[in-house]
Amino acid sequence: MKYICFGYLDEKNWETMSESELNALVDECFAYEDLLRKNGKVFITDGPYAETKEQLGGILVLEVRDLNHAVQLMSKHPGVKAGPWETARLRT
């Protein structure tokens, strides 16, 4: 099954981070996404692409067993430090 995961930035949290903290967080995110790629096919693209009230930080499409597996993988993503993630099943 494919799930799409939207990462939102909490602007208040983002604005309080120093440049070095932001760079470290981005590096952690890319490192985790590299790990996901090694364990299967992961398609990653940068956002934002839609107009939202929140700041859209990224979009990931995961090939996983089920919703629980998607949540398990995303709960370990360093991007959760920057704001919430939303996960939904892709219907193709």
Side-chain angles (χ1 to χ4, degrees):
M1 289 183 212
K2 290 184 181 180
Y3 282 81
I4 189 164
C5 308
F6 295 97
Y8 300 99
L9 299 177
D10 179 341
E11 291 183 43
K12 292 177 187 173
N13 185 20
W14 190 259
E15 291 170 356
T16 62
M17 298 174 86
S18 69
E19 186 174 346
S20 63
E21 290 172 319
L22 291 172
N23 290 335
L25 178 59
V26 169
D27 289 344
E28 285 180 63
C29 291
F30 287 144
Y32 185 70
E33 291 160 4
D34 287 342
L35 177 68
L36 289 176
R37 278 188 207 93
K38 288 180 185 175
N39 291 308
K41 294 181 180 179
V42 179
F43 175 73
I44 299 171
T45 182
D46 293 327
Y49 292 105
E51 189 173 326
T52 64
K53 291 181 183 179
E54 299 86 7
Q55 184 70 18
L56 188 58
I59 301 171
L60 285 84
V61 176
L62 303 175
E63 181 84 32
V64 293
R65 293 184 302 271
D66 55 26
L67 176 61
N68 289 332
H69 189 207
V71 169
Q72 178 186 21
L73 291 175
M74 291 312 301
S75 68
K76 296 176 185 175
H77 195 290
V80 298
K81 296 174 190 172
W85 283 84
E86 179 181 347
T87 303
R89 183 172 175 198
L90 280 176
R91 309 255 185 221
T92 55

